[in-house]
């Protein structure tokens, strides 16, 4: 186990999981972080979809990185990402139609999610497949953990439930401020503040 | 006509794509630092949004629907957007250098802006007709521009105020955006969409 | 199965159609006329418009320096447009001051040629040449600094002023500036001292080269060079900033024999203060040369038992302690931006006018 933690792959994983975390490290992928976090189950499905698409597309980009001509770099990334997003959207529509309907077009917006483009452009195009894979896995998991935390707050305080199970009984007054879009912004702002304070205490400098 | 105006104003105020639907957040946080850049970006977004929505609508209705290839819409839309942005950049650079000075440099960044793709997807979801699409996209673009320019104006004052250090740029923008959304929400009784 | 076939066909036709439209538009829309660019009121070149000014000048063998690859951040490529001044772009507004823009200063990497233009560039740019050189020796000076000796192949001679720099071209076409670390008497070769910066594109590229590798460079550039006055030459170098001082000190001592020279040379520790022994020997050889070595990361003064030299705790302290102001002092500084700022302030406090301080920030 100790040998595993010393490998370069592990350091890339931790770097994109925490230091370069999409949400609070690099401020990317905020669009969906705000939109799907009203319910934990939505956030979870979104997070898993992002992890799947991100890891697969990053690995593929890395595998064919020597063959991509410079001029059509961005288009190639988009085609690869779009293909897998279409597949994921299809799977969601068939297996989980309710969740797919409440996520709406935001699954499709994974294509333009800055996290995927950003990782492909900055990392996968220069690194071998195994490094690209762990970096994508770290970024995806970092993103998922962040939106799960935000969603947990919003669902618990806004509806008294977690994953649909009632936690705070009938006497809990729902915080409607948190369920509306403003609440999303506020929770995001406070989340960033808390994480930055933790980073400062631990002496980690993200910039 | 009334319906068109309702869609137009709703997409600017009560259903503002940046503040209510969170589209185009990444450049929103990054570019809202100064007003001139913000207005340039907003103009670029509006311009591209109207053109791409119209073209995407035509492609969807007359090519994808008859062939029952709805699932291809993601990839076709993003292709069209990328191609159109390139064409717009070439045409503006050649024939309208004044426009190029105003927002030319933002055009390459717009291809991956969630707002442009988002509007195309939303218009399909809501099953708008062609004229409705035009009003919707124009309104959404202008609404996005309003949000980002207002945010730039507010952030100008952040230099002289003293927010908590650990909030950083993104944190304070998020909180300000939340307050702005609440302000816009106050108009929701006005329009019934 | 049918649906996948249909999808495949539609996507491919669509892709090809878009490609064709883009090619057609590029051919008929992105066509700019022929224009004349007049440079410094003497040279005129005929060009096809539409491209940024810097690439057009480059194609015509006028090598404008650049350190940011055309992104508009380094400001090395600034020129003055005297006729047909275009509206400034927001990138230019971000890096050039209002006064500069009003006078017509523009970034050549951002301004596109859309009409006849009249521009003014520093005269020396017209004498800049493209050199192909071969690396003959690589010396490791410290854990992250290497000295490269490059023999010039084509053309085989370079004429530069002490303190000037050259631009190294990487494989991607991007260039970075480095001071010439050898004396100008060595006409057929130059030496460079390169510190490996962790995220630095060019320093990583250079540190990966071997002896007998070929390298492309442009030069000489720079307004930072030894002025032909009779003033005292006061040099201050931080870390690898000593690279530009070699030629300045050598020329001042060998050619301008009645000028006094002082050198304040500081680095983080004794290990980073490479070749300080060489300067101690020079001080013995030339009575008008005084050497003040310093260590910047230590707070105590250290006296070397062998040579008797005292290493001050930082260049600023050494200047405060050792520098005597005279009206004929001229200061040359080279080092990281923070170093240049603090040492400039130290010299101003001692009475040196800003016009007498010449600096080269990294």
């Amino acid at each position: 186990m100790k040998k595993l933690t010393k490998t370069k792959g592990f350091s890339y994983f931790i770097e994109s999981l925490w230091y370069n975390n999409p949400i609070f490290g690099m401020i990317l992928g905020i669009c969906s972080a705000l939109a799907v976090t009203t319910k934990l189950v939505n956030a979870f499905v979104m997070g898993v979809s992002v992890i799947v698409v991100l890891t697969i597309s990053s690995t593929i980009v890395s595998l064919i990185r020597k063959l991509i001509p410079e001029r059509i770099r961005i288009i190639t990334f988009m085609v690869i990402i779009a293909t897998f997003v279409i597949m994921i959207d299809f799977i969601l529509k068939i297996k989980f139609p309710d969740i797919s309907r409440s996520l709406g077009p935001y699954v499709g917006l994974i294509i333009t999610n800055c996290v995927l483009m950003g990782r492909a452009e900055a990392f996968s195009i220069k690194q071998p497949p195994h490094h690209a894979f762990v970096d994508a896995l770290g970024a995806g998991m970092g993103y998922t953990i962040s939106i799960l935390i935000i969603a947990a707050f919003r669902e618990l305080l806004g509806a008294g439930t977690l994953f649909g199970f009632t936690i705070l009984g009938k006497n809990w007054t729902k915080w409607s401020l948190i369920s509306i879009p403003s609440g999303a912004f506020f929770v995001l702002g406070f989340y960033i503040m808390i994480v930055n304070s933790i980073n400062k205490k631990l002496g980690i400098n993200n910039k | 006509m009334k319906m068109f105006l309702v869609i137009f104003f709703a997409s600017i105020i009560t259903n503002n794509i940046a503040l209510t639907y969170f589209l185009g957040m990444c450049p929103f946080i990054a570019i809202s630092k100064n007003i001139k850049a913000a207005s340039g970006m907003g103009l670029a977004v509006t311009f591209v949004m109207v053109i791409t929505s119209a073209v995407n609508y035509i492609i969807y209705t007359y090519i994808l629907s008859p062939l029952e290839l709805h699932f291809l819409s993601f990839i076709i839309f993003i292709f069209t957007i990328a191609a159109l942005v390139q064409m717009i950049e070439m045409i503006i650079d050649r024939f309208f250098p004044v426009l190029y000075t105003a927002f030319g440099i933002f055009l390459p960044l717009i291809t991956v802006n969630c707002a442009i793709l988002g509007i195309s997807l939303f218009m399909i979801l809501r099953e708008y007709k062609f004229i409705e699409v035009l009003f919707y996209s124009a309104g959404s673009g202008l609404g996005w521009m309003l949000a980002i320019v207002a945010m730039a104006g507010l952030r100008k004052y952040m230099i002289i105020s003293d927010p908590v250090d650990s909030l950083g740029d993104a944190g304070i923008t998020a909180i300000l955006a939340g307050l702005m959304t609440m302000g816009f929400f106050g108009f929701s009784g006005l329009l019934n969409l | 199965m049918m649906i996948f076939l249909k999808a495949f066909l539609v996507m491919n036709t669509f892709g090809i159609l878009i490609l064709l439209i883009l090619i057609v538009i590029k051919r008929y829309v992105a066509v700019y006329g022929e224009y004349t660019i007049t440079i410094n009121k003497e040279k005129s070149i005929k060009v096809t418009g539409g491209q940024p000014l810097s690439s057009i000048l480059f194609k015509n063998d006028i090598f404008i320096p650049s350190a940011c690859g055309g992104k508009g951040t380094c400001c090395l490529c600034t020129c003055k447009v005297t006729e047909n001044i275009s509206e400034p772009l927001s990138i230019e507004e971000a890096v050039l001051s209002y006064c500069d823009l009003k006078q017509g200063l523009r970034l050549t990497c951002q301004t596109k040629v859309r009409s006849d233009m009249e521009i003014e560039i520093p005269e020396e740019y017209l004498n800049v040449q493209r050199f192909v050189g071969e690396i003959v020796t690589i010396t490791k000076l410290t854990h992250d600094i290497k000295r490269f000796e490059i023999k010039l192949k084509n053309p085989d001679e370079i004429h530069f002023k002490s303190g000037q720099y050259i631009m190294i071209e990487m494989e991607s076409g991007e260039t970075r500036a480095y001071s010439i670390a050898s004396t100008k008497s060595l006409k057929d070769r130059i030496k460079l001292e390169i510190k490996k910066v962790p995220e630095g594109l060019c320093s990583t590229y250079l540190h990966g080269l071997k002896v007998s590798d070929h390298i492309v460079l442009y030069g000489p550039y720079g307004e930072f060079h030894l002025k032909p006055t009779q003033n005292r030459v006061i040099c201050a170098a931080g870390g690898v900033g000593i690279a530009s001082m070699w030629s300045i000190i050598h020329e001042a001592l060998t050619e301008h024999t009645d000028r006094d020279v002082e050198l304040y040379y500081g680095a983080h520790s004794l290990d980073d203060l490479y070749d300080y022994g060489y300067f101690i020997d020079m001080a013995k050889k030339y009575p008008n040369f005084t050497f003040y070595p310093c260590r910047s990361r230590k707070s105590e003064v250290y006296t070397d038992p062998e040579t008797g030299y005292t290493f001050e705790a930082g260049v600023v302290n050494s200047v405060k302690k050792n520098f005597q102001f005279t009206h004929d002092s001229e200061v040359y500084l080279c080092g990281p931006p923070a170093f240049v700022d603090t040492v400039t302030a130290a010299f101003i406090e001692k009475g040196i006018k800003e016009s007498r301080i010449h600096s080269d920030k990294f």
Side-chain angles (χ1 to χ4, degrees):
Chain A
M1 189 65 204
K2 201 149 188 207
K3 226 177 174 188
L4 186 68
T5 54
K6 290 243 192 293
T7 60
K8 202 150 194 217
F10 192 73
S11 70
Y12 283 138
F13 178 73
I14 292 292
E15 222 178 272
S16 51
L17 179 73
W18 184 263
Y19 301 103
N20 285 342
N21 182 297
I23 302 278
F24 52 82
M26 312 200 72
I27 321 286
L28 295 175
I30 305 285
C31 325
S32 38
L34 295 165
V36 309
T37 45
T38 40
K39 296 230 249 306
L40 261 179
V41 63
N42 287 353
F44 184 72
V45 170
M46 179 58 123
V48 170
S49 320
V50 165
I51 292 181
V52 170
V53 179
L54 187 54
T55 44
I56 300 182
S57 50
S58 273
T59 320
I60 293 187
V61 165
S62 177
L63 282 170
I64 62 170
R65 70 187 183 282
K66 300 265 165 69
L67 306 167
I68 304 178
E70 177 74 23
R71 301 221 69 191
I72 60 168
R73 214 174 61 240
I74 305 270
I75 303 280
T76 326
F77 297 158
M78 287 207 276
V79 172
I80 298 174
I81 297 173
T83 324
F84 292 106
V85 168
I86 295 182
M87 285 196 229
I88 289 272
D89 188 47
F90 219 55
I91 298 174
L92 284 179
K93 273 208 183 76
I94 295 180
K95 286 227 125 179
F96 308 105
D98 302 314
I99 301 181
S100 172
R101 215 174 306 122
S102 62
L103 281 178
Y106 287 100
V107 178
L109 289 180
I110 297 182
I111 303 177
T112 49
N113 191 329
C114 329
V115 188
L116 288 103
M117 276 296 184
R119 289 342 276 157
E121 172 99 20
F123 204 84
S124 314
I125 197 89
K126 301 179 198 154
Q127 298 278 355
H130 50 286
H131 286 161
F133 179 79
V134 288
D135 172 78
L137 194 65
M141 284 180 63
Y143 172 82
T144 311
I145 295 174
S146 292
I147 63 173
L148 282 177
I149 295 178
I150 297 180
F153 264 105
R154 289 187 72 196
E155 189 179 353
L156 187 64
L157 298 172
T161 63
L162 276 181
F163 275 115
F165 300 111
T166 323
I167 307 277
L168 305 166
K170 272 188 259 183
N171 294 322
W172 169 259
T173 334
K174 304 197 171 106
W175 292 19
S176 45
L177 181 62
I178 269 203
S179 317
I180 61 172
S182 312
F185 282 117
F186 290 139
V187 175
L188 179 69
F190 284 119
Y191 178 67
I192 293 180
M193 180 172 86
I194 292 173
V195 177
N196 279 343
S197 323
I198 296 178
N199 272 341
K200 221 185 250 175
K201 279 259 166 64
L202 294 178
I204 303 168
N205 202 343
N206 259 342
K207 300 298 168 195
Chain B
M1 192 59 199
K2 190 164 146 205
M3 196 56 195
F4 300 144
L5 286 180
V6 167
I7 295 180
F8 184 71
F9 282 110
S11 47
I12 297 182
I13 303 179
T14 58
N15 287 18
N16 188 302
I17 57 168
L19 301 177
T20 323
Y21 292 106
F22 316 111
L23 295 177
M25 272 295 118
C26 309
F28 191 78
I29 296 187
I31 301 198
S32 55
K33 286 213 181 82
N34 74 62
I35 300 188
K36 195 142 190 238
S39 49
M41 185 72 174
L43 276 174
V45 164
T46 317
F47 202 73
V48 174
M49 204 177 261
V50 176
I51 299 181
T52 49
S53 310
V55 173
N56 278 339
Y57 177 83
I58 295 175
I59 294 180
Y60 187 84
T61 332
Y62 298 114
I63 303 180
L64 290 179
S65 287
L67 295 174
E68 302 214 344
L69 292 173
H70 309 271
F71 65 95
L72 277 190
S73 48
F74 289 162
I75 206 168
I76 299 279
F77 284 175
I78 199 79
F79 253 172
T80 337
I81 292 174
L84 281 171
V85 167
Q86 286 251 39
M87 288 184 220
I88 292 174
E89 195 180 344
M90 281 196 268
I91 295 178
I92 288 193
D93 190 40
R94 176 75 179 88
F95 296 117
F96 307 105
V98 183
L99 284 183
Y100 192 81
T101 330
F103 62 76
I105 49 163
F106 298 117
L107 285 174
L109 301 171
I110 286 194
T111 322
V112 283
N113 189 333
C114 4
I116 313 285
L117 183 63
I119 293 301
S120 297
L121 294 178
F122 271 117
M123 83 181 171
I124 300 296
L125 208 68
R126 295 185 189 167
E127 295 175 2
Y128 284 146
K129 305 283 183 310
F130 188 68
I131 311 281
E132 290 169 340
V133 164
L134 290 179
F135 275 97
Y136 177 60
S137 50
S140 304
L142 290 174
W144 196 86
M145 181 165 153
L146 176 67
I148 197 175
V149 172
M151 179 60 79
L154 283 175
R155 283 183 77 174
K156 232 174 54 159
Y157 288 97
M158 282 296 116
I159 306 175
I160 52 173
S161 68
D162 196 17
V164 178
D165 251 347
S166 28
L167 268 178
D169 273 345
I172 197 66
T173 313
I175 306 250
L176 285 175
L179 291 169
M180 238 203 288
T181 320
M182 276 167 62
F184 277 49
F185 243 50
F187 288 101
S188 53
L190 203 63
L191 296 164
N192 246 324
L193 188 66
Chain C
M1 208 61 240
M2 267 309 288
I3 204 151
F4 284 126
L5 204 64
K6 255 200 293 184
F8 190 69
L9 278 172
V10 166
M11 271 185 54
N12 278 342
T13 4
F14 195 70
I16 295 176
L17 205 71
I18 289 211
L19 214 64
L20 283 175
I21 296 180
L22 277 175
I23 293 177
V24 163
I25 291 195
K26 188 144 194 206
R27 264 205 87 206
Y28 291 106
V29 169
V31 163
Y32 300 82
E34 294 277 317
Y35 302 112
T36 318
I37 303 184
T38 319
I39 303 162
N40 289 356
K41 297 205 202 309
E42 45 178 54
K43 199 165 173 182
S44 276
I45 46 176
K46 281 212 182 332
V47 299
T48 326
Q51 296 296 315
L53 198 48
S54 62
S55 25
I56 290 186
L57 291 173
F58 232 75
K59 285 202 193 96
N60 283 280
D61 284 345
I62 300 173
F63 305 112
I64 305 277
S66 151
C68 63
K71 293 201 186 74
T73 50
C74 72
C75 293
L76 282 180
C77 66
T78 344
C79 79
K80 189 165 173 177
V81 182
T82 45
E83 270 293 315
N84 272 330
I85 307 175
S86 55
E87 276 294 308
L89 298 170
S90 26
I91 293 186
E92 291 171 322
E93 284 181 349
V95 290
L96 295 172
S97 72
Y98 182 71
C99 292
D100 287 338
L101 291 169
K102 243 345 226 265
Q103 284 182 341
L105 257 61
R106 297 284 184 273
L107 296 179
T108 52
C109 63
Q110 301 299 316
T111 312
K112 293 209 175 140
V113 176
R114 285 182 225 275
S115 61
D116 289 338
M117 289 173 89
E118 235 186 66
I119 62 170
E120 267 176 35
I121 53 176
E123 197 61 38
E124 55 174 25
Y125 289 175
L126 296 171
N127 299 325
V128 164
Q129 291 177 289
R130 179 182 189 271
F131 294 89
V132 177
E134 185 188 326
I135 300 180
V136 283
T137 57
I138 302 180
T139 326
K140 192 166 178 197
L141 299 168
T142 71
H143 67 276
D144 58 357
I145 304 181
K146 280 190 188 166
R147 177 184 287 141
F148 295 83
E149 186 182 345
I150 301 170
K151 184 167 161 56
L152 301 170
K153 286 284 178 80
N154 182 20
D156 53 1
E157 264 189 23
I158 185 170
H159 301 273
F160 63 95
K161 299 191 189 127
S162 305
Q164 287 193 304
Y165 65 89
I166 47 95
M167 313 265 332
I168 298 269
E169 187 183 82
M170 298 181 264
E171 287 146 343
S172 60
E174 266 191 61
T175 51
R176 292 289 186 272
Y178 293 102
S179 301
I180 303 178
S182 49
T183 65
K184 55 182 198 167
S185 47
L186 290 176
K187 294 200 191 57
D188 65 336
R189 55 191 68 208
I190 60 164
K191 292 188 195 163
L192 302 172
E193 285 164 12
I194 315 284
K195 178 172 180 155
K196 184 155 195 243
V197 177
E199 298 285 321
L201 286 170
C202 198
S203 52
T204 317
Y205 161 70
L206 287 168
H207 275 244
L209 293 176
K210 300 180 289 295
V211 172
S212 83
D213 277 343
H214 280 89
I215 197 171
V216 174
L217 51 103
Y218 301 88
Y221 297 100
E223 295 192 347
F224 177 74
H225 55 83
L226 183 64
K227 309 281 180 242
T229 60
Q230 288 297 90
N231 294 329
R232 276 173 76 200
V233 178
I234 317 289
C235 300
V240 76
I242 192 72
S244 32
M245 296 299 164
W246 294 104
S247 45
I248 292 181
I249 294 174
H250 196 261
E251 183 184 329
L253 291 175
T254 52
E255 288 180 35
H256 313 208
T257 43
D258 40 1
R259 291 171 83 170
D260 284 335
V261 181
E262 270 179 36
L263 170 63
Y264 297 86
Y265 175 24
H268 291 163
S269 64
L270 277 185
D271 289 328
D272 296 305
L273 206 64
Y274 61 91
D275 280 346
Y276 73 87
Y278 174 83
F279 290 112
I280 293 181
D281 291 336
M282 279 207 101
K284 286 195 198 124
K285 192 169 166 195
Y286 295 94
N288 54 339
F289 174 62
T290 332
F291 177 50
Y292 298 107
C294 323
R295 303 179 310 169
S296 50
R297 282 256 175 98
K298 317 274 185 214
S299 48
E300 333 79 48
V301 175
Y302 164 78
T303 311
D304 183 20
E306 266 185 51
T307 57
Y309 266 84
T310 318
F311 291 73
E312 230 20 91
V315 170
V316 172
N317 284 331
S318 191
V319 168
K320 285 190 182 152
K321 216 170 167 184
N322 298 308
F323 176 64
Q324 306 289 336
F325 170 77
T326 56
H327 281 285
D328 64 342
S329 299
E330 219 168 62
V331 177
Y332 295 87
L333 305 170
C334 183
F339 172 87
V340 170
D341 289 336
T342 46
V343 177
T344 308
F347 277 112
I348 289 180
E349 242 185 76
K350 282 271 180 168
I352 303 280
K353 280 202 275 254
E354 272 207 70
S355 55
R356 285 282 180 90
I357 302 181
H358 311 282
S359 53
D360 189 11
K361 283 189 203 182
F362 286 172

